[in-house]
Amino acid sequence: MTMTKAGLLAATAMMLAAPASAQFAPSRPVEFVVASGAGGGTDNFARTIQSVLTRDGIMDNPIVVLNKGGGSGAEAFLYARQNEGDPHKLIFGTNNVYLLPHVAKLAYTTEDLQPVAALALDEFLVWVKADSPYQTVMDLVNAAKDAPGTIPFGGSQSKDTDETLVALIEQTTGADFKYVPFNGGGEVGVQLAGGHVAANVNNPNENVGQWQAGAIRPLCVFAPERMAESEPVSGDMGWHDIPTCAEQGLDITSYQMPRTVWLPAGTDPEVLAYYQDALQKVSESQDWKDYLAKTSQSATFMTGEELAAFIDASEADAVKVFEAEGWTVQ
Amino acid sequence: MGNFDLLMQGFGIAITPMHLMLMVAGVLMGLVVGVLPGLGAPNGVSLLIPLTFTLDPTSAIILLSSMYWGALFGGSTTSILFNIPGEPSSVATTFDGYPMARSGESTRALTLAFMSAGFGALLGVIVITLLAGWASRFALRFGAPEYFAVYFLAFAAFIGMGSAAPAKTLVSLATGLLLASVGMDSVTGSIRLTFGFEDLLSGISFLVVVIGLFGIGELLSTVQEGLRFRGVASRIDLRDVFRTIAELPRYWATYIRSGLIGIWMGITPGGPTAASFMSYGIARSSSRKGAPFGTGRPEGIVAPETADHSAGSCAMLPMLALGVPSSATAAVMMGGLMIWGLTPGPMLFATQPDFVWGLIASMYVSNLIGVVLVLATVPMFAALLRIPFTIIGPMIVAICFVGAYTVSNATFDLWLVLIFGLVGYLFSRLDYPLAPLVLAMVLGHKAENAFHQSMVLSDGSLGIFFANPLVSGIMAVGIALLVLPKLIALGSRFRRRVPVE
Amino acid sequence: MTVKVFHAELGTAVTTGLLGLAGMIGASELGHGWTESGPQPGYFPFYVGLILIGASLWNLVAAFLKHRAAHRHAASGGEVEEPFLDRERARRLGVFIAALLAFVVATLTLGIYAGSILYIAWSAWRQGGYRLPLALGVGVAFAVSLYLIFEVIFKIPLLKGPIEPLLGIY
């Protein structure tokens, strides 16, 4: 419901702004508020955009990057609420912007932010150790059914996208894993390579190093179709050779994490249009395509109604999982 | 000797005029961010990342890592001169460095710190050079219980031998643990102890607390004695520098011990801060003669500095070889690596030898540059102490608050600095030890997370901490460190009593 | 007025005890039990709070005992208990803390630059005995170097107040 409203707002903003997009230009340094610590995936996302904007001369104003990763990113979103109507602050996040308020008692709602654009989709894969007995994702699921609550499944945090996905697998198949939250995808990758957990659901770039070395291997990807063709990564296997989870009989066709950019609520429609335009130029640049290829993320560019619809659907799916797990807070 | 050939090839890549210039620039910028409290190496490095997009990855990592070394060196400077740790990992250096500087030997203290730092870094790089493959395999064996054991060991090494009243140590430790648990708990995903304050959501920053406790707290102690620095203005004499260098071989045992602790904590992600505390604690408990620690003992500077830098250099290894950064700065550099299109992981050594060995070779060179540059600044920094207090005192105050603000751009932190300044003053006047509080803030939450993860893995059984030789070994050493000093103290009291009676 | 060590010990012990209590109350809202998957989120803060209260009580008792012993010692003609702060020190400390407080308030309302100029100039002028123009000069020089290091070189925005936008600095 909140999203339909924000979506409508964005849509009207688009219509109003289309003819008048040159009206707004930032008059002071623009703050890029990053909802993760320095070095995290969201941080790299924001800093890459910063470099493209500056190097290609899309935006002449100086850009300063502020990391506000406290409370799983909530710090950045609270900051947006405190700066309502400020056209010189862009907030960079993932789906945590609209999912966090469902699982934690926080002093902001999604209506305090206005979606600008989504520029990338990060894929999720199921990974196991190279010498593990599981050949398909269903082997893993069946093992968890045979011995409920004993197979340790690593993830980067509690009640985050990783645990949501694991919970979704459990709800879809009736399996029961033992979810162990660590700190960040990199750490989970190493825990898997060291054999301390049986599987994880890392994004491609969090695990690619260990895959190259042959310490771990992917079972399947949660996408409607296989990932884009690539050079072979490990042995003669490339990203495109990884089957989708649906192919292997796990009925979750799509689970992706969008990389999103937001404005504080209450800015003028021209402001929104200005940044949408600038980000569109970023998404068309060669540097951006290189970044996506290097980090194995899927390209997308969503704004306005399309973005609102995506957020609505993604939020509704996640909330269904949260409710079944009893994570939702009022 | 394959590694040696590769290293020579690396030197060929690292020693070019362009790279040497980048190293000097990086070290100098690092010194600035290191000296300013709050603005630490992670911030500095992440600010440089956009600049590196136009460089090739090898040049970029040389620039960033040089900045890291510079920041590590710079962090010790303010610890020693003003009791304000410029970097979290230089907190332990304040314990003896500041008393030594206050007794008029600031040149000696700074020289000791920098030479030890340089030596630690060298030791770290040598280990990386020789043991790259083995060390990364060793680090893979560390799961949650092993992590907890390491943190437990760090606590045990530091607490076991404290000289303050036990109840006061306990208060300090418990306060630190409580402060560390404020904010979002990543293992359970719940928000703790914020009492509805939004400002507390992201937790209480360790750096802000340290700036208040040490920086402002120390200024308050200075002020109550009159508006001037305690201690004599130091003589600035290059001969002091050389005399100090000449006394270094005397501390060989401390060097080796601290270097090993640092290497270990760098490879198995404990991080430089934990390493410096642990090394200080162990140096203290293994010293038998001379003035007590905390009064300006040279070993009290050598131990944390050596460990800090060997851990800092060794932290590059798990970052490159496993993709696990064991320090905040390494985490930022890893982000850079990914942006440059390099994938950290075991294959990096095989697929990008020029990058890896160029970096390793540059670590030798840039640490050398770092020691020279930072020694050259000793007279300048020591001269700062001669500026009248009514000028420099308020400037230090302002820098403390600016530093605290830059940690997370939050005005709330300014109040925290003020409050913890008062706490620091009160605690040091009443003989509450500050170190347990700081250590608890650094490691408390990590230890709790590791404990919790272990409990999830073992379904709540404590047996997991003794489930394999590695984890039981570390736990046993920790328990021994905690218990032995008390037993020895008891034993010696007993032995002394017998002949008297 | 002088503050005795006894009073300071008492105040500190009570404060740390209250902190422990706050921790326990905050933790008990989260649940502090032990489930089959290990401790609940409030488990550690709860018991740490309990330990903190215990240690604070111990310190409180120790302070009382020491105070009584000192009294007896003083009555039998020994030295009087050492003061925590005598009048002169308390005054010096009071002025410094008041200035600190004023600095924080000035920083929050006027920004870090104006705040530190005022604070440094005031200290050099009133406490150091320098002439006002010189004192102001030192303050301004400090603020300018802050600006150069943070905003120009490292691109880190510091807290600004209502004055900077008038000068065209954001």
Side-chain angles (χ1 to χ4, degrees):
Chain A
M1 187 183 71
T2 66
M3 267 309 109
T4 0
K5 198 175 159 197
L8 269 173
L9 208 80
T12 25
M14 274 296 279
M15 284 190 292
L16 285 174
S21 60
Q23 278 179 2
F24 170 82
S27 55
R28 40 160 90 190
V30 177
E31 271 178 30
F32 278 19
V33 185
V34 179
S36 86
T42 309
D43 188 48
N44 292 345
F45 168 60
R47 286 181 200 270
T48 307
I49 292 183
Q50 176 201 14
S51 85
V52 177
L53 283 174
T54 322
R55 208 188 316 168
D56 295 358
I58 301 169
M59 210 160 92
D60 298 330
N61 273 65
I63 298 167
V64 288
V65 180
L66 293 181
N67 288 99
K68 287 187 178 286
S72 301
E75 193 188 353
F77 313 137
L78 284 165
Y79 184 73
R81 199 201 59 174
Q82 289 154 9
N83 290 284
E84 196 190 330
D86 188 333
H88 293 100
K89 291 187 169 58
L90 283 181
I91 293 91
F92 290 75
T94 59
N95 51 8
N96 53 358
V97 183
Y98 49 87
L99 295 186
L100 264 181
H102 290 287
V103 292
K105 246 187 273 175
L106 293 167
Y108 85 93
T109 65
T110 319
E111 283 164 74
D112 292 321
L113 293 101
Q114 181 178 32
V116 179
L119 283 98
L121 291 173
D122 216 346
E123 306 288 350
F124 286 82
L125 290 84
V126 177
W127 303 83
V128 292
K129 199 159 180 265
D131 57 8
S132 120
Y134 315 117
Q135 295 305 323
T136 70
V137 70
M138 290 318 285
D139 291 349
L140 182 68
V141 165
N142 289 331
K145 277 186 187 165
D146 292 342
T150 55
I151 294 181
F153 212 119
S156 65
Q157 268 181 5
S158 188
K159 298 176 192 168
D160 67 335
T161 45
D162 285 7
E163 189 169 8
T164 309
L165 178 52
V166 174
L168 187 62
I169 299 173
E170 291 177 337
Q171 288 169 17
T172 313
T173 62
D176 181 13
F177 292 103
K178 183 196 283 184
Y179 181 80
V180 191
F182 290 91
N183 285 314
E187 211 178 300
V188 194
V190 174
Q191 290 295 317
L192 181 63
H196 305 284
V197 292
N200 71 26
V201 282
N202 267 354
N203 305 124
N205 70 326
E206 291 168 334
N207 267 6
V208 59
Q210 297 290 350
W211 185 30
Q212 276 176 349
I216 59 173
R217 59 187 159 85
L219 291 181
C220 66
V221 57
F222 291 96
E225 54 218 50
R226 291 187 176 201
M227 294 169 70
E229 291 277 0
S230 71
E231 301 273 296
V233 182
S234 182
D236 50 6
M237 240 181 123
W239 293 111
H240 185 70
D241 302 313
I242 304 168
T244 66
C245 293
E247 275 177 54
Q248 295 193 338
L250 177 59
D251 189 24
I252 301 170
T253 43
S254 174
Y255 191 86
Q256 292 163 316
M257 182 170 72
R259 302 239 175 247
T260 51
V261 184
W262 304 67
L263 270 168
T267 53
D268 295 332
E270 302 92 75
V271 177
L272 183 67
Y274 172 83
Y275 288 115
Q276 280 170 343
D277 185 43
L279 290 173
Q280 180 150 22
K281 284 180 189 150
V282 169
S283 76
E284 286 157 4
S285 72
Q286 189 55 42
D287 286 332
W288 182 253
K289 290 181 181 128
D290 290 345
Y291 159 79
L292 291 178
K294 282 172 192 167
T295 52
S296 313
Q297 301 185 71
S298 302
T300 186
F301 187 76
M302 290 187 278
T303 53
E305 270 179 81
E306 189 192 358
L307 178 58
F310 176 88
I311 291 174
D312 267 349
S314 144
E315 192 180 16
D317 285 348
V319 168
K320 229 181 288 163
V321 180
F322 295 164
E323 275 166 359
E325 294 289 315
W327 295 344
T328 39
V329 293
Q330 301 319 313
Chain B
M1 262 354 282
N3 281 3
F4 187 73
D5 294 336
L6 287 164
L7 179 67
M8 286 303 126
Q9 189 192 332
F11 273 117
I13 297 160
I15 305 181
T16 63
M18 159 80 170
H19 284 164
L20 286 175
M21 212 183 66
L22 284 178
M23 286 181 213
V24 173
V27 167
L28 281 178
M29 280 189 285
L31 280 175
V32 176
V33 295
V35 162
L36 294 167
L39 183 66
N43 302 48
V45 172
S46 57
L47 291 164
L48 277 186
I49 283 188
L51 296 183
T52 60
F53 291 147
T54 48
L55 298 170
D56 74 282
T58 312
S59 312
I61 192 78
I62 286 178
L63 177 67
L64 296 192
S65 61
S66 302
M67 181 166 197
Y68 184 26
W69 316 135
L72 285 178
F73 280 115
S76 329
T77 309
T78 40
S79 301
I80 288 172
L81 292 181
F82 303 115
N83 206 27
I84 305 168
E87 293 282 309
S89 56
S90 40
V91 172
T93 310
T94 61
F95 301 153
D96 274 277
Y98 181 65
M100 183 183 278
R102 226 172 51 183
S103 64
E105 295 187 295
S106 50
T107 312
R108 180 170 172 230
L110 288 172
T111 311
L112 273 174
F114 298 147
M115 291 307 293
S116 310
F119 179 79
L122 187 69
L123 221 54
V125 194
I126 291 176
V127 166
I128 294 187
T129 311
L130 297 179
L131 299 176
W134 174 83
S136 48
R137 276 198 302 279
F138 178 66
L140 270 186
R141 296 177 55 188
F142 276 67
E146 285 82 5
Y147 278 120
F148 176 76
V150 168
Y151 298 135
F152 173 73
L153 179 60
F155 271 111
F158 201 77
I159 309 294
M161 200 54 195
S163 55
K168 288 187 171 174
T169 308
L170 211 54
V171 165
S172 177
L173 189 69
T175 309
L177 289 173
L178 267 191
L179 292 175
S181 62
V182 174
M184 180 84 76
D185 173 28
S186 59
V187 173
T188 55
S190 49
I191 297 165
R192 304 193 297 185
L193 304 185
T194 60
F195 301 100
F197 289 105
E198 278 174 31
D199 297 308
L200 289 176
L201 189 68
S202 48
I204 294 176
S205 159
F206 155 75
L207 264 172
V208 172
V209 171
V210 163
I211 290 171
L213 281 181
F214 289 86
I216 302 294
E218 179 55 35
L219 279 173
L220 290 175
S221 303
T222 307
V223 164
Q224 71 157 16
E225 301 303 336
L227 296 177
R228 56 182 190 81
F229 276 115
R230 292 185 275 175
V232 233
S234 55
R235 293 162 291 121
I236 299 159
D237 192 345
L238 211 59
R239 267 175 303 176
D240 273 354
V241 174
F242 291 114
R243 208 171 299 134
T244 314
I245 293 176
E247 71 171 298
L248 292 180
R250 238 182 288 164
Y251 313 120
W252 63 272
T254 314
Y255 273 115
I256 292 175
R257 202 173 41 224
S258 311
L260 290 178
I261 293 172
I263 289 164
W264 177 29
M265 297 297 267
I267 291 174
T268 67
T273 310
S276 61
F277 273 103
M278 198 156 132
S279 163
Y280 183 88
I282 289 181
R284 186 177 57 188
S285 49
S286 58
S287 92
R288 285 170 196 281
K289 51 186 190 299
F293 273 64
T295 57
R297 275 282 292 262
E299 291 94 330
I301 301 174
V302 169
E305 282 295 315
T306 310
D308 174 8
H309 280 244
S310 55
S313 349
C314 280
M316 303 296 281
L317 189 60
M319 177 196 96
L320 295 171
L322 294 174
V324 172
S326 62
S327 73
T329 318
V332 179
M333 286 192 212
M334 209 173 85
L337 235 62
M338 289 180 181
I339 294 183
W340 306 324
L342 298 175
T343 311
M347 292 312 278
L348 190 66
F349 281 75
T351 54
Q352 303 280 346
D354 284 2
F355 173 81
V356 173
W357 291 100
L359 167 64
I360 293 175
S362 88
M363 285 162 77
Y364 287 96
V365 184
S366 54
N367 271 300
L368 200 69
I369 293 177
V371 173
V372 173
L373 280 181
V374 82
L375 278 177
T377 60
V378 167
M380 192 185 85
F381 282 117
L384 279 181
L385 285 174
R386 295 205 293 202
I387 299 175
F389 182 82
T390 45
I391 302 262
I392 192 93
M395 283 187 184
I396 298 174
V397 168
I399 289 174
C400 283
F401 280 93
V402 169
Y405 178 76
T406 52
V407 171
S408 59
N409 293 284
T411 49
F412 177 73
D413 287 345
L414 301 180
W415 292 112
L416 282 183
V417 170
L418 194 62
I419 292 167
F420 281 101
L422 295 174
V423 171
Y425 168 74
L426 211 59
F427 271 27
S428 64
R429 279 299 308 277
L430 296 175
D431 294 324
Y432 282 84
L434 288 177
L437 195 161
V438 176
L439 188 69
M441 283 209 71
V442 178
L443 292 184
H445 200 197
K446 287 184 181 168
E448 187 192 335
N449 280 348
F451 183 80
H452 205 145
Q453 284 154 2
S454 312
M455 288 300 101
V456 175
L457 283 169
S458 73
D459 293 316
S461 153
L462 291 171
I464 194 168
F465 296 119
F466 297 92
N468 66 53
L470 180 63
V471 66
S472 342
I474 304 173
M475 288 300 284
V477 175
I479 293 170
L481 279 174
L482 208 55
V483 177
L484 273 185
K486 303 275 182 289
L487 286 182
I488 291 170
L490 268 178
S492 64
R493 199 181 301 164
F494 183 68
R495 239 177 292 132
R496 225 177 295 140
R497 198 168 290 167
V498 176
V500 171
E501 284 169 359
Chain C
M1 188 206 83
T2 55
V3 182
K4 284 184 191 157
V5 173
F6 173 58
H7 298 140
E9 291 274 13
L10 229 63
T12 309
V14 169
T15 313
T16 53
L18 287 178
L19 190 71
L21 192 66
M24 283 178 74
I25 293 172
S28 58
E29 288 170 9
L30 299 164
H32 56 271
W34 188 288
T35 64
E36 61 178 40
S37 64
Q40 283 182 303
Y43 182 83
F44 281 98
F46 184 84
Y47 287 100
V48 168
L50 196 67
I51 290 170
L52 186 53
I53 291 176
S56 304
L57 283 177
W58 182 338
N59 283 333
L60 203 66
V61 172
F64 266 111
L65 291 179
K66 211 171 136 199
H67 183 59
R68 267 232 317 262
H71 251 289
R72 226 175 285 138
H73 190 60
S76 61
E79 258 179 73
V80 188
E81 201 175 347
E82 177 204 359
F84 183 73
L85 276 179
D86 55 31
R87 188 184 298 257
E88 175 54 25
R89 285 175 171 180
R91 190 194 63 79
R92 261 200 302 253
L93 212 55
V95 171
F96 191 78
I97 292 174
L100 266 184
L101 199 65
F103 169 58
V104 173
V105 172
T107 300
L108 292 179
T109 50
L110 300 175
I112 277 176
Y113 296 109
S116 42
I117 292 176
L118 290 178
Y119 175 61
I120 289 169
W122 178 85
S123 300
W125 178 44
R126 298 300 302 177
Q127 304 202 290
Y130 295 90
R131 281 179 299 115
L132 186 58
L134 183 71
L136 272 174
V138 171
V140 171
F142 179 80
V144 169
S145 35
L146 271 191
Y147 181 78
L148 290 179
I149 292 176
F150 283 91
E151 314 240 357
V152 177
I153 301 179
F154 289 113
K155 306 241 180 306
I156 294 183
L158 296 181
L159 188 63
K160 295 181 196 68
I163 300 169
E164 286 86 356
L166 301 179
L167 300 172
I169 302 166
Y170 296 106

Short mmCIF file of all heavy atoms in Angstrom, two decimals, chain B residues 151-174:
data_model
loop_
_atom_site.label_atom_id
_atom_site.label_comp_id
_atom_site.label_asym_id
_atom_site.label_seq_id
_atom_site.Cartn_x
_atom_site.Cartn_y
_atom_site.Cartn_z
N TYR B 151 39.45 -14.45 20.40
CA TYR B 151 39.03 -13.25 21.15
C TYR B 151 39.16 -13.49 22.65
O TYR B 151 39.60 -12.62 23.39
CB TYR B 151 37.58 -12.88 20.81
CG TYR B 151 37.40 -12.53 19.35
CD1 TYR B 151 36.32 -13.02 18.62
CD2 TYR B 151 38.32 -11.72 18.69
CE1 TYR B 151 36.17 -12.72 17.29
CE2 TYR B 151 38.17 -11.41 17.37
CZ TYR B 151 37.09 -11.91 16.66
OH TYR B 151 36.95 -11.62 15.34
N PHE B 152 38.80 -14.70 23.05
CA PHE B 152 38.92 -15.05 24.46
C PHE B 152 40.38 -14.93 24.91
O PHE B 152 40.69 -14.37 25.96
CB PHE B 152 38.41 -16.48 24.68
CG PHE B 152 38.63 -17.00 26.05
CD1 PHE B 152 37.88 -16.54 27.12
CD2 PHE B 152 39.61 -17.96 26.30
CE1 PHE B 152 38.10 -17.01 28.40
CE2 PHE B 152 39.83 -18.44 27.57
CZ PHE B 152 39.08 -17.96 28.63
N LEU B 153 41.27 -15.41 24.04
CA LEU B 153 42.70 -15.35 24.35
C LEU B 153 43.14 -13.89 24.48
O LEU B 153 43.91 -13.54 25.38
CB LEU B 153 43.47 -16.06 23.24
CG LEU B 153 44.99 -16.08 23.36
CD1 LEU B 153 45.42 -16.77 24.63
CD2 LEU B 153 45.60 -16.79 22.16
N ALA B 154 42.66 -13.04 23.58
CA ALA B 154 43.04 -11.62 23.65
C ALA B 154 42.60 -11.02 24.98
O ALA B 154 43.35 -10.30 25.63
CB ALA B 154 42.44 -10.85 22.48
N PHE B 155 41.36 -11.32 25.38
CA PHE B 155 40.87 -10.82 26.67
C PHE B 155 41.74 -11.35 27.80
O PHE B 155 42.20 -10.61 28.67
CB PHE B 155 39.43 -11.29 26.92
CG PHE B 155 38.40 -10.34 26.37
CD1 PHE B 155 37.62 -10.71 25.30
CD2 PHE B 155 38.21 -9.09 26.94
CE1 PHE B 155 36.67 -9.84 24.78
CE2 PHE B 155 37.28 -8.22 26.44
CZ PHE B 155 36.50 -8.59 25.36
N ALA B 156 41.98 -12.66 27.76
CA ALA B 156 42.72 -13.31 28.85
C ALA B 156 44.11 -12.72 28.97
O ALA B 156 44.58 -12.42 30.06
CB ALA B 156 42.78 -14.81 28.61
N ALA B 157 44.78 -12.53 27.82
CA ALA B 157 46.14 -12.02 27.84
C ALA B 157 46.16 -10.64 28.47
O ALA B 157 47.10 -10.27 29.16
CB ALA B 157 46.69 -11.95 26.42
N PHE B 158 45.13 -9.88 28.24
CA PHE B 158 45.16 -8.50 28.70
C PHE B 158 44.67 -8.33 30.12
O PHE B 158 45.16 -7.52 30.87
CB PHE B 158 44.35 -7.62 27.76
CG PHE B 158 44.76 -6.20 27.90
CD1 PHE B 158 45.94 -5.78 27.30
CD2 PHE B 158 44.03 -5.32 28.64
CE1 PHE B 158 46.37 -4.49 27.46
CE2 PHE B 158 44.46 -4.03 28.80
CZ PHE B 158 45.63 -3.61 28.21
N ILE B 159 43.65 -9.12 30.49
CA ILE B 159 43.03 -8.92 31.79
C ILE B 159 43.78 -9.66 32.88
O ILE B 159 43.86 -9.21 34.01
CB ILE B 159 41.55 -9.42 31.77
CG1 ILE B 159 40.81 -8.82 30.60
CG2 ILE B 159 40.85 -9.12 33.07
CD1 ILE B 159 40.61 -7.34 30.65
N GLY B 160 44.34 -10.83 32.52
CA GLY B 160 44.88 -11.74 33.53
C GLY B 160 45.86 -11.10 34.48
O GLY B 160 45.96 -11.49 35.63
N MET B 161 46.59 -10.10 34.02
CA MET B 161 47.70 -9.60 34.81
C MET B 161 47.47 -8.16 35.28
O MET B 161 48.38 -7.47 35.67
CB MET B 161 48.95 -9.69 33.93
CG MET B 161 50.26 -9.67 34.64
SD MET B 161 50.43 -10.92 35.93
CE MET B 161 51.84 -10.26 36.77
N GLY B 162 46.23 -7.70 35.24
CA GLY B 162 45.97 -6.31 35.61
C GLY B 162 46.38 -6.03 37.05
O GLY B 162 46.31 -6.89 37.91
N SER B 163 46.77 -4.78 37.31
CA SER B 163 47.23 -4.46 38.66
C SER B 163 46.17 -3.67 39.44
O SER B 163 46.30 -3.47 40.63
CB SER B 163 48.52 -3.64 38.58
OG SER B 163 48.31 -2.51 37.78
N ALA B 164 45.10 -3.21 38.75
CA ALA B 164 44.10 -2.41 39.43
C ALA B 164 43.21 -3.30 40.30
O ALA B 164 43.26 -4.53 40.21
CB ALA B 164 43.25 -1.66 38.41
N ALA B 165 42.40 -2.66 41.16
CA ALA B 165 41.47 -3.40 42.01
C ALA B 165 40.54 -4.23 41.12
O ALA B 165 40.02 -3.72 40.13
CB ALA B 165 40.66 -2.42 42.85
N PRO B 166 40.33 -5.50 41.48
CA PRO B 166 39.52 -6.38 40.62
C PRO B 166 38.12 -5.82 40.36
O PRO B 166 37.63 -5.89 39.23
CB PRO B 166 39.45 -7.68 41.41
CG PRO B 166 40.51 -7.61 42.43
CD PRO B 166 40.86 -6.19 42.65
N ALA B 167 37.46 -5.25 41.38
CA ALA B 167 36.10 -4.77 41.18
C ALA B 167 36.10 -3.61 40.20
O ALA B 167 35.18 -3.46 39.40
CB ALA B 167 35.49 -4.35 42.51
N LYS B 168 37.13 -2.78 40.24
CA LYS B 168 37.18 -1.66 39.32
C LYS B 168 37.47 -2.12 37.90
O LYS B 168 36.93 -1.60 36.93
CB LYS B 168 38.24 -0.65 39.79
CG LYS B 168 37.76 0.10 41.03
CD LYS B 168 38.68 1.21 41.45
CE LYS B 168 37.98 2.02 42.54
NZ LYS B 168 38.85 3.05 43.10
N THR B 169 38.34 -3.13 37.77
CA THR B 169 38.59 -3.70 36.45
C THR B 169 37.29 -4.26 35.88
O THR B 169 36.97 -4.08 34.70
CB THR B 169 39.63 -4.83 36.55
OG1 THR B 169 40.77 -4.33 37.23
CG2 THR B 169 40.04 -5.32 35.19
N LEU B 170 36.54 -4.92 36.76
CA LEU B 170 35.29 -5.53 36.33
C LEU B 170 34.29 -4.46 35.87
O LEU B 170 33.61 -4.62 34.86
CB LEU B 170 34.71 -6.33 37.50
CG LEU B 170 33.89 -7.55 37.15
CD1 LEU B 170 34.68 -8.47 36.24
CD2 LEU B 170 33.48 -8.28 38.42
N VAL B 171 34.21 -3.36 36.61
CA VAL B 171 33.31 -2.27 36.23
C VAL B 171 33.69 -1.76 34.84
O VAL B 171 32.85 -1.57 33.96
CB VAL B 171 33.36 -1.12 37.26
CG1 VAL B 171 32.74 0.15 36.69
CG2 VAL B 171 32.66 -1.52 38.53
N SER B 172 34.99 -1.55 34.65
CA SER B 172 35.47 -1.02 33.39
C SER B 172 35.15 -1.98 32.24
O SER B 172 34.63 -1.59 31.20
CB SER B 172 36.97 -0.79 33.51
OG SER B 172 37.50 -0.35 32.32
N LEU B 173 35.41 -3.25 32.47
CA LEU B 173 35.16 -4.26 31.46
C LEU B 173 33.67 -4.35 31.12
O LEU B 173 33.27 -4.35 29.96
CB LEU B 173 35.67 -5.61 31.97
CG LEU B 173 35.71 -6.77 30.99
CD1 LEU B 173 36.76 -6.52 29.95
CD2 LEU B 173 36.00 -8.07 31.73
N ALA B 174 32.85 -4.40 32.17
CA ALA B 174 31.41 -4.56 31.96
C ALA B 174 30.83 -3.33 31.26
O ALA B 174 29.97 -3.45 30.39
CB ALA B 174 30.70 -4.79 33.30
#
